Amino acid sequence: MVRYAKEHKQVTRQRIIEKAGHRFKQDGIDGSGISTLMSDAGLTNGAFYAHFASKDDLVAHVVAEELHTQVAAYDTLRSGRPGLEDLIREYLSPEHRDHPGLGCPSAALLDEIGRCEDGTKQAYTDGARAILDEIAARLTPEDPKSARSKAIGLFTMMVGTLQLSRALSDRKFADEVLEQGIGNALAFMR
C-alpha cells in the first residue's frame, strides 16, 4: 500500500474542492454525483471518503471556499466606490452570465443552498456576511455599519439580475436585463 505525505492529501483535497466548485456551479449540486466529481479531479470514487465524510460535507467546504475566493478577489479591485462600480459591471457582464462554472456561487447555487444541511447554510451565511461587509466598506469606508442595509440591497439586486438574465432564452432580452441591472445598481449605490 502506498502512503502519501500529509501535504499530498491536502493538495488532493483542495483539487477536489476546486473541481467540485466548478461542477456544482455549472450543473448544480443535485446534478453532480460523487462519481463525476471524482472523475473531474482525476480520482476514483473510493478516494472520496478519505477526504470527506459525505457529499454534504464536500458541499459545505466548496461553498466556504468559493465565497472566500470571491471575497479575496475583491482585493484586486480599485478601492472604494470606483472598485464597487467595477465589481457591478463585471458581475453583471455577459461573460459572467455565460460562464456560471467560473462565476459567483450565489447566482449559481442559492436555490440549492437553501435546501442543504445546516453546515452548508452556515458556510454560506459566513461567506455572505464577508461579501456584504466588503460592499458596505466600499460604500461608506468611514462607517461601513451604516451602509449594511444598502449593501444587502445591492448584493441581492446583483444576484437576482444575473439569475434572471441566465434564465432567459432571448439573448437580446437577457442582455437588456444585465444593462438595466447595471444602471439600477449604480443608481442604488449613490
Side-chain angles (χ1 to χ4, degrees), residues 89-99 162 165 171 175 178-179 182:
R89 291 180 190 285
E90 182 180 316
Y91 193 94
L92 297 177
S93 69
E95 294 77 25
H96 188 203
R97 177 198 55 214
D98 297 343
H99 301 286
L162 187 60
S165 180
R171 178 74 172 207
D175 288 345
L178 290 179
E179 282 301 315
I182 290 169

Side-chain angles (χ1 to χ4, degrees), residues 14-42:
Q14 189 60 36
R15 184 170 74 234
I16 295 167
I17 290 171
E18 288 171 7
K19 296 293 184 178
H22 182 271
R23 177 67 69 172
F24 288 160
K25 292 184 295 181
Q26 188 67 42
D27 297 339
I29 295 168
D30 290 339
S32 305
I34 290 175
S35 178
T36 300
L37 298 171
M38 294 306 284
S39 177
D40 288 351

Side-chain angles (χ1 to χ4, degrees), residues 21-100:
H22 182 271
R23 177 67 69 172
F24 288 160
K25 292 184 295 181
Q26 188 67 42
D27 297 339
I29 295 168
D30 290 339
S32 305
I34 290 175
S35 178
T36 300
L37 298 171
M38 294 306 284
S39 177
D40 288 351
L43 301 166
T44 64
N45 291 0
F48 178 82
Y49 292 100
H51 298 280
F52 302 97
S54 64
K55 183 177 176 187
D56 291 325
D57 182 35
L58 171 62
V59 171
H61 281 88
V62 166
V63 167
E65 180 68 22
E66 286 285 327
L67 292 170
H68 173 78
T69 300
Q70 186 175 353
V71 171
Y74 293 165
D75 288 341
T76 64
L77 298 170
R78 295 182 291 168
S79 62
R81 285 177 178 252
L84 190 53
E85 280 192 39
D86 295 343
L87 173 64
I88 290 166
R89 291 180 190 285
E90 182 180 316
Y91 193 94
L92 297 177
S93 69
E95 294 77 25
H96 188 203
R97 177 198 55 214
D98 297 343
H99 301 286

Side-chain angles (χ1 to χ4, degrees), residues 117-134:
E117 292 187 353
D118 289 344
T120 300
K121 287 181 182 180
Q122 187 59 56
Y124 186 79
T125 299
D126 294 343
R129 278 191 181 114
I131 289 169
L132 294 172
D133 289 347
E134 181 68 29

